[in-house]
Amino acid sequence: MNTYKDYIQEIEERKGQGLHPKPIDGAELLSEIISQIKDSNNENRVDSLNFFIYNVVPGTTSAAGVKAKFLKEIILGESVVEEITPAFAFELLSHMKGGPSIEVLLDLALGNDVAIAKEAAKVLKTQVFLYDADTNRLAEAFKKGNEIAKELLESYAKAEFFTKLPDVEEEIEIVTYIAGIGDISTDLLSPGGDAHSRSDRELHGQCLFEHNKEMQKELLALKEKHPNKRVMLIAEKGTMGVGSSRMSGVNNVALWTGIQASPYVPFINIAPIIAGTNGISPIFLTTVGVTGGIGVDLKNWVKKTDAEGNVVRNQDGEIVLEQTYSVETGTVLTINTKSKKLYKGSEELMDISASLTPQKVEFIKAGGSYAIVFGKKIQTFAAKTLGIETPLVYAPSKEISHEGQGLTAVEKIFNKNAVGTTPGKILHTGSDVRVEVNIVGSQDTTGLMTSQELESMAATVISPIVDGAYQSGCHTASVWDNKSKANIPKLMSFMNDFGLITARDPKGKYHAMTDVIHKVLNDITIDDWAIIIGGDSHTRMSKGVAFGADSGTVALALATGEASMPIPDSVKVTFKGEMKGYMDFRDVVHATQQQMLKQFGGENVFQGRVIEVHIGTLTADQAFTFTDWTAEMKAKASICISEDETLIESLEIAKSRIQIMINKGMDNANQVLQGLINKANKRIAEIKSGEKPALKPDANAKYYAEVLIDLDQVIEPMIADPDVNNEDVSKRYTHDTIRPLSYYGGTKKVDLGFVGSCMVHKGDMKILAQMLKNIEAKHGKVEFKAPLVVAPPTYNIVDELKVEGDWEVLQKYSGFEFDDNAPKGLARTKYENMLYLERPGCNLCMGNQEKAAPGDTVMATSTRLFQGRVVKDSDEKKGESLLSSTPVVVLSTILGRTPTMEEYEAAVEGIVLTRFKPSQKQLVG
């Protein structure tokens, strides 16, 4: 097989798509290219040189190993290439980021040729991606008296790899580009339907603005008109990057507007600048930091007030906003990184200190947060090896402590898991903290990027600090198409070798599990004091505290077992009153958002903060419905405060489901899953003995705000409406428009229903089964006037339903049931009026495989109502995805329209929808 010919053919095919050659990551192809370089008469020699120098993926790819080895031969004089001098070979090694390149540089630095050793040391002093094997070599050489090793350690102790970098420029001139009015979902920057191409950065870059070529042309024209300025993408009258962390979204923005990270590595750009009237979504802002970018909270629209200082409202009761300064497309502004102000000419517009904290400026200087994380670790190692105090180089971590003030739940968790803080010091909100991570999750549409990040940071095995990590297959569960067949096995193999529990077995010994990642993470979290990092915005566990993260932060957590962030503010949510028997817990979730906004005059106090919800009596399965939705509340994270007995019940459920995974053969050589069961048993014993009760905040903890939800006001089902025709564009697709069922008058046509996604649990499937039985008993048959798509979250739930008899009920009424032996190869484009039992996984909620027909009105249990996510617009009407409880969805498909309250109450009569009651206990420590 001639891999080079195949590569040339692929290049020709990519030309037809307007693409450059794909970066090389395989050893076989690069070995052939090197052979052609060595052959001075080879007709492909010039092209091969260009490919070798400018088009090889760095890090731990097999191609990087071959490249590093050849560069070593050139430096040692074993191979002579006129175009690549030894000095240039060293320069190329300096851009390879770690892994094989570090191994080669250490070989040369610790070798016998003094001149070469000094040159290698010069390069090594600039490198930060060193792992245990590398630092161990240095430490051993130092102990043996090697002078180069000592020189390197002294440089590392001073963090010269950071201090000798150029300072961040004082003034950054920018030109604005309004990418949208209102909240901008990451789907605009990296559509879910293009998830398959995320690891091919140039190809994926074509989908920016959902393939809107006119917007792309406008952006290019703006860059051409302002060649010496940086483009700042803006969400006018909204928040930038809602919906997910979406590293691919930041990558796309950087590709179009950022700076090339290395001249020898194509399509990897850094330092994007983005902004929003209401700032940047918290998890998306973290992703911006990964790339050394800047995220700005513009606050250019504010609430209008009258002479007495009262907020002015329009005739519909909506708050009136007024513009304090314009950022219309093409506006030239200046970011001053010293004064930390935003200017228009000489006019100061606002203080942007929050965008330019000392830590964020370090990210900008280093080209991203990874280099800072690894740099700090290397500096600490070097100082310890030399037997000296670690010099203060980096901005000191902020440690905020208030004497006599209690701790919120998140403060307690961060204090327990903190690394490198002042011994004995209690830290409160605002403190910068490095924390150990207990559980990590990687999902399948970002996983290929995570694996690339791991390769680029030269990581080869999971950190021993991590209790457990899981690689899902849920986002590509609906359709096993050629793209999935090409990408997913490769991903599973990489992650399995790295040390994760994988949904698919690369060896094919256990049944493929397409379970929704959040549900699996919720099951394998066995400690209420845990910290969880997951590659999805809905990493919101009902045990511990979980943070949705970009693929890079996930990679960092896998490689180092750590994460870094400030301790967030908390908002306390408690409940009073009593639930009506016909209400579902999903209605409580929506009512929480509605009542919070009402209590705080339209201000979303949840945004960017931890919601500490005193759920008390609900087990983890049902409580997850609340924590999951907190992503739509724009919260940074959420924590459930449970009664001791409830937490024990949740841990027992988790143990049983982990055991099922073990029984299926999913545990690995390190017996990670068995270790989780052992830890769960230990935690249960601690709770039962009173040694360590369930996590509770202190009675004198301080909160940003407290919200009391009155259940007596929740008297009918609540629906989150995208409000697609609102005259104010900024108020569409926000998740903040929560309406009662009666608003629709029982007349709104529903074209398709969806029960599935991470928002449902086993109880929802049982409710569905019981409703179908009740309808047949009353009417003699079950007839659907709109299609109903059902996707259970996990196979465990399917198995439990089969044992309990509910799956048989669903089979009886279904017109389609998934078959794992013959999974769909194409996405469904048309639906009949019947029940579809789909494979466990994300299905319609993800929007990358299955979709409703354009222009449909969908009633769904899922989390996403963004434009184009579940349903696209048609030429005739806007697609809309209304979000509601399982009973409302089911009844809407039976009727083909929204039900009246009378119809709804009759349909759920006799069905226990939830057992939620506000706790009667004081859930404080």
Side-chain angles (χ1 to χ4, degrees), residues 599-726:
Q599 287 174 35
F600 290 89
E603 178 191 352
N604 183 357
V605 297
F606 292 154
Q607 184 164 347
R609 302 180 179 95
V610 173
I611 299 176
E612 184 185 286
V613 56
H614 289 233
I615 212 99
T617 57
L618 274 186
T619 58
D621 267 14
Q622 293 184 62
F624 186 79
T625 306
F626 190 103
T627 56
D628 200 33
W629 183 259
T630 60
E632 275 55 63
M633 294 171 175
K634 298 183 183 176
K636 189 174 183 67
S638 58
I639 298 177
C640 287
I641 307 301
S642 297
E643 295 180 2
D644 287 358
E645 299 78 8
T646 305
L647 179 58
I648 289 171
E649 187 180 350
S650 294
L651 292 174
E652 291 290 357
I653 293 169
K655 278 173 51 186
S656 68
R657 290 183 176 163
I658 296 170
Q659 186 60 54
I660 290 169
M661 294 170 74
I662 293 173
N663 295 344
K664 289 180 177 178
M666 296 181 72
D667 213 350
N668 59 16
N670 293 329
Q671 291 193 301
V672 165
L673 294 176
Q674 184 58 53
L676 292 173
I677 288 181
N678 297 342
K679 288 182 174 74
N681 285 329
K682 180 175 181 290
R683 183 70 190 105
I684 290 169
E686 289 173 342
I687 300 167
K688 286 182 174 178
S689 69
E691 176 190 346
K692 190 178 178 183
L695 170 69
K696 294 177 179 65
D698 291 331
N700 59 338
K702 185 177 180 181
Y703 296 90
Y704 177 84
E706 296 191 30
V707 180
L708 178 61
I709 303 304
D710 186 355
L711 298 177
D712 290 332
Q713 292 183 24
V714 188
I715 57 173
E716 55 180 303
M718 311 296 286
I719 295 173
D721 193 321
D723 205 10
V724 299
N725 296 310
N726 194 311

Side-chain angles (χ1 to χ4, degrees), residues 142-319:
F142 171 68
K143 287 175 187 173
K144 292 176 182 176
N146 185 292
E147 285 299 315
I148 292 288
K150 181 183 178 186
E151 184 184 324
L152 283 167
L153 288 170
E154 288 172 345
S155 175
Y156 289 157
K158 297 173 189 172
E160 290 182 337
F161 43 71
F162 175 72
T163 60
K164 292 193 173 182
L165 291 171
D167 288 334
V168 176
E169 54 193 315
E170 183 173 347
E171 291 190 340
I172 301 172
E173 279 201 295
I174 57 176
V175 58
T176 62
Y177 182 77
I178 294 178
I181 308 296
D183 289 353
I184 289 183
S185 160
T186 47
D187 269 356
L188 182 76
L189 310 176
S190 168
D194 291 86
H196 64 278
S197 66
R198 286 175 183 166
S199 57
D200 185 346
R201 292 197 184 199
E202 188 190 18
L203 172 60
H204 195 68
Q206 294 188 335
C207 72
L208 183 73
F209 305 140
E210 293 184 312
H211 297 274
N212 187 318
K213 299 303 177 188
E214 289 307 309
M215 288 180 71
Q216 291 175 3
K217 286 176 185 175
E218 287 173 7
L219 187 58
L220 290 174
L222 201 61
K223 286 175 65 179
E224 192 174 336
K225 186 177 179 182
H226 300 274
N228 299 318
K229 297 178 180 66
R230 308 263 295 281
V231 176
M232 178 166 75
L233 246 58
I234 295 173
E236 176 78 317
K237 288 188 175 180
T239 303
M240 174 66 83
V242 298
S244 66
S245 50
R246 203 62 65 88
M247 186 81 211
S248 53
V250 171
N251 285 345
N252 276 351
V253 176
L255 190 64
W256 284 79
T257 68
I259 300 166
Q260 189 174 1
S262 165
Y264 308 113
V265 184
F267 316 124
I268 296 181
N269 283 17
I270 57 173
I273 301 176
I274 59 174
T277 290
N278 297 326
I280 319 297
S281 177
I283 54 173
F284 194 61
L285 188 57
T286 301
T287 317
V288 174
V290 167
T291 61
I294 301 174
V296 181
D297 187 356
L298 291 170
K299 299 176 183 173
N300 58 314
W301 288 87
V302 298
K303 296 174 186 175
K304 186 175 182 179
T305 55
D306 58 23
E308 285 75 42
N310 300 312
V311 174
V312 176
R313 296 177 181 271
N314 62 20
Q315 59 186 13
D316 297 322
E318 299 282 352
I319 293 170

Side-chain angles (χ1 to χ4, degrees), residues 259-438:
I259 300 166
Q260 189 174 1
S262 165
Y264 308 113
V265 184
F267 316 124
I268 296 181
N269 283 17
I270 57 173
I273 301 176
I274 59 174
T277 290
N278 297 326
I280 319 297
S281 177
I283 54 173
F284 194 61
L285 188 57
T286 301
T287 317
V288 174
V290 167
T291 61
I294 301 174
V296 181
D297 187 356
L298 291 170
K299 299 176 183 173
N300 58 314
W301 288 87
V302 298
K303 296 174 186 175
K304 186 175 182 179
T305 55
D306 58 23
E308 285 75 42
N310 300 312
V311 174
V312 176
R313 296 177 181 271
N314 62 20
Q315 59 186 13
D316 297 322
E318 299 282 352
I319 293 170
V320 176
L321 299 177
E322 58 183 357
Q323 187 174 245
T324 56
Y325 62 93
S326 173
V327 291
E328 66 179 333
T329 295
T331 303
V332 175
L333 304 172
T334 303
I335 291 173
N336 189 298
T337 61
K338 292 289 189 291
S339 67
K340 301 187 179 182
K341 302 283 177 64
L342 182 67
Y343 294 92
K344 182 177 182 182
S346 59
E347 179 191 358
E348 179 186 316
L349 297 179
M350 68 170 300
D351 184 292
I352 54 170
S353 299
S355 303
L356 297 166
T357 63
Q359 288 75 21
K360 288 179 180 178
V361 171
E362 287 177 345
F363 295 167
I364 297 166
K365 178 175 177 174
S369 57
Y370 298 167
I372 299 299
V373 173
F374 277 85
K376 288 179 178 178
K377 288 176 79 79
I378 296 168
Q379 187 195 22
T380 303
F381 149 76
K384 185 178 179 181
T385 306
L386 291 169
I388 62 173
E389 285 289 318
T390 305
L392 186 60
V393 171
Y394 295 100
S397 291
K398 192 190 297 181
E399 294 190 349
I400 297 173
S401 186
H402 304 292
E403 191 174 344
Q405 180 178 307
L407 297 173
T408 63
V410 74
E411 288 170 337
K412 286 191 172 186
I413 292 174
F414 270 61
N415 275 278
K416 174 191 176 284
N417 292 281
V419 178
T421 55
T422 303
K425 190 169 187 178
I426 300 299
L427 301 179
H428 286 93
T429 293
S431 300
D432 291 319
V433 185
R434 274 171 58 212
V435 289
E436 291 187 351
V437 174
N438 305 93

Side-chain angles (χ1 to χ4, degrees), residues 371-528:
I372 299 299
V373 173
F374 277 85
K376 288 179 178 178
K377 288 176 79 79
I378 296 168
Q379 187 195 22
T380 303
F381 149 76
K384 185 178 179 181
T385 306
L386 291 169
I388 62 173
E389 285 289 318
T390 305
L392 186 60
V393 171
Y394 295 100
S397 291
K398 192 190 297 181
E399 294 190 349
I400 297 173
S401 186
H402 304 292
E403 191 174 344
Q405 180 178 307
L407 297 173
T408 63
V410 74
E411 288 170 337
K412 286 191 172 186
I413 292 174
F414 270 61
N415 275 278
K416 174 191 176 284
N417 292 281
V419 178
T421 55
T422 303
K425 190 169 187 178
I426 300 299
L427 301 179
H428 286 93
T429 293
S431 300
D432 291 319
V433 185
R434 274 171 58 212
V435 289
E436 291 187 351
V437 174
N438 305 93
I439 301 290
V440 184
S442 170
Q443 57 105 321
D444 40 327
T445 52
T446 60
L448 284 168
M449 294 168 60
T450 300
S451 64
Q452 284 182 335
E453 298 287 351
L454 288 167
E455 287 177 329
S456 74
M457 62 178 72
T460 56
V461 66
I462 192 170
S463 167
I465 296 172
V466 177
D467 290 334
Y470 179 72
Q471 170 60 59
S472 81
C474 56
H475 289 70
T476 52
S478 302
V479 184
W480 193 233
D481 55 17
N482 290 332
K483 293 168 185 173
S484 299
K485 290 173 185 175
N487 289 333
I488 303 306
K490 182 169 65 173
L491 170 64
M492 296 295 167
S493 180
F494 179 95
M495 290 302 193
N496 201 278
D497 290 343
F498 199 83
L500 282 75
I501 303 299
T502 52
R504 292 177 180 271
D505 183 4
K507 301 175 182 66
K509 290 182 179 177
Y510 59 77
H511 182 276
M513 302 279 280
T514 58
D515 297 353
V516 174
I517 181 173
H518 327 304
K519 291 296 190 183
V520 178
L521 293 182
N522 205 42
D523 285 340
I524 69 173
T525 299
I526 42 72
D527 186 358
D528 48 325

